[in-house]
Amino acid sequence: MPLRSSSVRLARGVSPWLLPTVATAAVSLAKARHSGRWAAAAVPATALAAGMLWFFRDPEREIGQGRVICPADGVVQSIVPWEDGRTRVAIFMSPLNVHVNRAPVAGTVASVEHVPGGYVPAFDKESEFNERVVWRFDSELGDIEMVQIAGAVARRIVPYVPQGCKVEQGERIGLIRFGSRVDVYLPEGIEPAVEVGEKTTAGVTRLDRD
C-alpha cells in the first residue's frame, strides 16, 4: 500500500466553523491571565479549537493504484448489489475521520446535484433519505456515481469542483463537515476489493478487484 505523506493542511470550506472557535479560544487565553472566570472558560474553548483543527485536517496522500479508489476515510458499512448490475459500496465516516473526499476515478464531472433531505445518523437505514450531493463522473469505465450523504452532525456538504471540470483520480472534490457517509457505485462487472468492516483511506484504498 502506498505510504501517506506527513504533510497536513486544513480543509477548504471550514472557515465558518473554525475561525470563531479559534478566536474565542485566543481571547479566553489572553484574558485568563487576569481572571479566574476567563481561565475556566479558556479550558473548554481551547479544547474545542484543538478538536476543530483535528477534525478539519487535510493530509497529503500518495494516491493508490486501481481503476476505482476509495473517496473517503472511514469503515465499509455495506456492500449491496444493485438491480441495474452495479454494486454500492457505502463508507461510514465518523467525526474522527478526515472529512475531505476525493475523486474515485479520473474523468470529467458530468453533474453535481444537491438533493435536500433529513439528517438522521448515517448508520441508520433511513439515512437513504438524508440531504446529499450526487456526483457523476464520465470516465474510462463509463458513468461512475458517488454520493456524499449528510448525517446527524454533518449538515453541510461543500463541493470543491463544478460540473464540467476535469479531475484526476484521488483529487480533492469536496468536504462533509464532521463526517457522515459516502457511497460509490461500482459498474457492472467490477467486483469490490473491500469487505464490510474494513477501514479505508481516501485516495489510497482500492475498491475494485482485478
Side-chain angles (χ1 to χ4, degrees), residues 11-158:
R12 291 165 49 195
V14 303
S15 296
W17 292 76
L18 187 61
L19 292 183
T21 306
V22 172
T24 300
V27 170
S28 299
L29 287 171
K31 293 188 176 183
R33 300 176 182 178
H34 310 290
S35 169
R37 182 176 299 178
W38 277 104
V43 174
T46 302
L48 181 59
M52 287 283 191
L53 290 171
W54 173 256
F55 291 157
F56 292 132
R57 68 198 186 281
D58 182 12
E60 295 293 343
R61 299 276 167 81
E62 184 176 342
I63 305 305
Q65 301 294 318
R67 291 174 294 177
V68 184
I69 59 176
C70 189
D73 285 19
V75 175
V76 178
Q77 183 182 43
S78 64
I79 299 175
V80 180
W82 225 239
E83 293 181 356
D84 59 8
R86 298 180 300 167
T87 301
R88 187 189 70 185
V89 179
I91 300 140
F92 174 72
M93 303 167 59
S94 82
L96 298 180
N97 289 126
V98 172
H99 311 309
V100 176
N101 299 145
R102 294 173 178 261
V105 293
T108 301
V109 178
S111 64
V112 185
E113 179 186 6
H114 173 260
V115 181
Y119 296 101
V120 302
F123 52 80
D124 193 300
K125 184 177 180 181
E126 294 302 313
S127 64
E128 303 288 342
F129 305 103
N130 277 10
E131 178 173 351
R132 56 201 181 277
V133 171
V134 181
W135 296 76
R136 294 188 183 278
F137 301 92
D138 184 9
S139 74
E140 291 183 353
L141 296 175
D143 177 59
I144 301 294
E145 181 178 343
M146 184 192 98
V147 184
Q148 295 173 296
I149 302 174
V153 178
R155 300 197 172 211
R156 181 69 191 276
I157 302 171
V158 184

